[in-house]
Amino acid sequence: MTHTETASRPTPPRPNPHRTPLRRALAFVRNTWRGLTSMRTALVLLFLLALAALPGALLPQWDLNAEKTRSYITENGWWGQLLDRLQLFDVYSSVWFSAVYLLLMVSLIGCLVPRTGDYVRAMRAGPVRTPRNLSRLPHHVRTEVAAAPDDVVATARRRLRGWRVAERTEADGARTLSAERGYLRETGNLVFHFGMLGIVIAFAGGALYSYEGQVIVHADGQEFCNSGIFAYDSFNPGLRVDGTGLTPFCVRVDDFEPTYTDAGQPISYDADIRYQSGADLESGTWREHHLEVNEPLRTEGDRVYLLGHGYAPTFTVTWPDGESRTQTIQWRPTDQTTLLSQGATKFDPPGITDSEVRRDNQLAVTGLFAPTAALHGNILTSAFPNLTDPAAAVDVMRGDLGIDSGQPQSIFEIDQSMVDSGRLERVARENLRVGESVTLDDGTRVSFDGVRRWVSLQVSHDPTQGWMLGFAIAMFVGLGASLAVKRRRFWVRVTPAGDAGNDLRRSVVELGGLARTDQAGYGEEFSALARDVLDRTPRERKAP
């Protein structure tokens, strides 16, 4: 190899002693933080959060309807099981939803804190100095007027009332005014984003400290008291709610009256209730209230909603020895159009102390209830949702109901496994109207005595609801201000014309304007401002 070839070989780069692994790690963390706290990243995360919430609206959720979720998984096989493993049936408490939520909160905080600091510094600094060359601005006027500089400056100050104005004197003796308006635009922008951050935080607070429960109450004076989880048929607590320390109040449902069209469509649901809360619980005072759908009772920070209604047939079982038991248990509507209902009313035989004998002789009245009976052959159905001609198609089951097994059991149905195993058998089937009865093979008589209405109430407690409303209003106000307000600047430079000793009553006036947004309309405003400033004194001539 020649000397020339050796000299032309490129020298390998020397390692930078300052690029240590620690410095590279710090640079990576710094760049990651800058990317995370940018407004673009916050908007992307907000879009991802909205996208992640879609499965919660489209798919059944475990915490809202476990039975429907289980059925959905069973019907869809491996696909349903995959969705369950991906936590798509438990969206709002899933790992991936929580991760997006926390990243959005961190991004918003990291974005807004420095922007707020910049905004405060800009507000304290005041309008910027007048540019040296105003002719380069989008809006510019230069003219000579027959007025002293002091008069022109005074005229401009009066016209710019309402603007933030700073007056300065330059090195060559020129007088300048720097005016700026539209600071509320950036204020509105910050209010909008802080409102968004507030909603994110309030939503998290609601998930921690809110609760929601549903309960069925008979509309015949039955009471419900918000004294604990045991008082509810279903209860969905927040992450920090253990069911103790609930807001104490009681509700008594005296009457319920639905209104339907001739076609059976509901027009209104009205419930007459009485309630106690606060000091009323100690004094025993009941306050009357008319409860309607979407018009909840608000008391002690809780809201009581009227969700729906149904029917609770009354059955009496009379055993051969004369002992009788009467029960009124709500049945669940299977057809919301006609309120055809299905349920199970369960009885324990009286006077039997032997547990084995007692379990073998338990009774359940199951079947269908129709508020307005209609028969298709011998099959009972309902023709109208209101209570006009009630009837029940009952199956009387005898045997072990499984209620002593220690396993939870629905009040609306019997344990089908007991039927499949032969431990629970059907001993009678009959269509009954009010006042009719059926007699079993051992002389036991089951009578259909009547029917009562029940209403479904929902109690909702969310201590962050007021904050959510306030932050939402702040978002809309801030968005309106950021869209409606235009940020613009206006400068005035006044220089004596020629030597001051020759003519003190003539001035060269330069006006410049700049809109800090892309919104149109500042050209007209600038022309109006320039005209008002200049037309107050005679205009001698314009500079070429």
Side-chain angles (χ1 to χ4, degrees), residues 394-531:
V394 300
D395 287 339
V396 182
M397 312 295 293
R398 182 167 59 199
D400 187 359
L401 296 176
I403 56 179
D404 299 329
S405 63
Q407 298 295 325
Q409 191 175 114
S410 171
I411 65 170
F412 297 113
E413 56 191 24
I414 57 177
D415 188 349
Q416 186 61 35
S417 65
M418 293 296 178
V419 180
D420 297 338
S421 64
R423 301 177 65 181
L424 188 62
E425 298 179 348
R426 186 177 66 196
V427 293
R429 169 175 283 183
E430 193 70 39
N431 290 339
L432 301 177
R433 295 184 182 271
V434 176
E436 297 180 345
S437 62
V438 59
T439 302
L440 308 184
D441 53 3
D442 63 349
T444 301
R445 184 167 58 90
V446 179
S447 60
F448 178 29
D449 297 337
V451 61
R452 299 177 186 174
R453 298 182 187 271
W454 57 260
V455 297
S456 177
L457 303 178
Q458 175 176 294
V459 177
S460 298
H461 175 81
D462 187 357
T464 64
Q465 186 183 41
W467 291 100
M468 289 282 285
L469 177 61
F471 288 130
I473 293 175
M475 280 185 62
F476 281 106
V477 171
L479 181 62
S482 64
L483 294 177
V485 177
K486 296 179 293 185
R487 187 78 178 271
R488 60 267 195 215
R489 289 172 174 173
F490 187 81
W491 290 281
V492 180
R493 175 179 282 117
V494 184
T495 307
D499 295 333
N502 297 335
D503 191 354
L504 298 177
R505 299 294 301 174
R506 301 192 64 80
S507 303
V508 176
V509 181
E510 274 192 286
L511 307 175
L514 175 65
R516 298 194 62 190
T517 64
D518 295 332
Q519 296 178 348
Y522 185 54
E524 297 178 2
E525 183 181 9
F526 175 81
S527 299
L529 284 171
R531 185 171 54 252

